[in-house]
């Protein structure tokens, strides 16, 4: 489901629908640090199943926040990076981190 299909009553609700869930914000956090391969993300995130990570990355890609680059090699080499739209989340995540420091 892309952003256009996420009906909401206000922009904050749309934002939460796009980046909400247990893993998406953390995936975005690590991709804001730079391009990562699937295995790197798995190591960064810890206890996430490959199936869930693939699903979350696919949804972020569908929403235009993440770019997937498949090199068409064997063994497979795929990299994930933030798109220009995804990079606009940077100040939001930094603000969330600053807010989280209060606890």
């Amino acid at each position: 489901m892309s952003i256009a299909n996420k009906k909401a009553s206000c922009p904050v609700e749309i934002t939460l629908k796009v980046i909400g869930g247990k893993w998406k914000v953390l995936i975005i956090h690590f991709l804001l640090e730079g391009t990562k391969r699937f295995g790197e993300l798995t190591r960064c995130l810890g206890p996430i199943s490959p199936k869930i990570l693939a699903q979350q990355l696919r949804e972020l890609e569908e929403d235009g926040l993440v770019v997937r680059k498949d090199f068409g090699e064997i063994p497979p080499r795929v990299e994930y990076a933030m798109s220009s739209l995804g990079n606009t989340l940077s100040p939001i995540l930094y603000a969330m981190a600053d807010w989280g420091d209060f606890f």
Side-chain angles (χ1 to χ4, degrees):
M1 173 182 281
S2 68
I3 293 172
N5 296 329
K6 295 185 182 197
K7 305 273 190 244
S9 59
C10 76
V12 172
E13 187 179 356
I14 291 174
T15 303
L16 290 173
K17 286 183 178 198
V18 173
I19 67 169
K22 182 175 180 178
W23 299 106
K24 285 185 182 176
V25 170
L26 293 173
I27 292 167
I28 292 166
H29 167 74
F30 289 115
L31 288 179
L32 284 170
E33 294 176 349
T35 301
K36 303 257 187 300
R37 293 178 68 180
F38 192 89
E40 290 176 283
L41 283 170
T42 302
R43 286 188 293 279
C44 289
L45 294 166
I48 185 172
S49 75
K51 179 182 175 183
I52 296 296
L53 178 55
Q55 176 188 3
Q56 299 292 282
L57 286 166
R58 191 170 28 259
E59 289 175 12
L60 289 167
E61 184 182 9
E62 287 172 4
D63 287 332
L65 301 179
V66 169
V67 176
R68 180 183 188 270
K69 183 175 181 182
D70 186 342
F71 290 87
E73 299 174 354
I74 297 179
R77 181 167 67 119
V78 177
E79 292 181 344
Y80 297 90
M82 295 303 294
S83 68
S84 55
L85 176 63
N87 281 320
T88 64
L89 289 167
S90 180
I92 295 167
L93 261 62
Y94 289 132
M96 289 171 66
D98 289 343
W99 189 83
D101 282 339
F102 289 114
F103 295 94

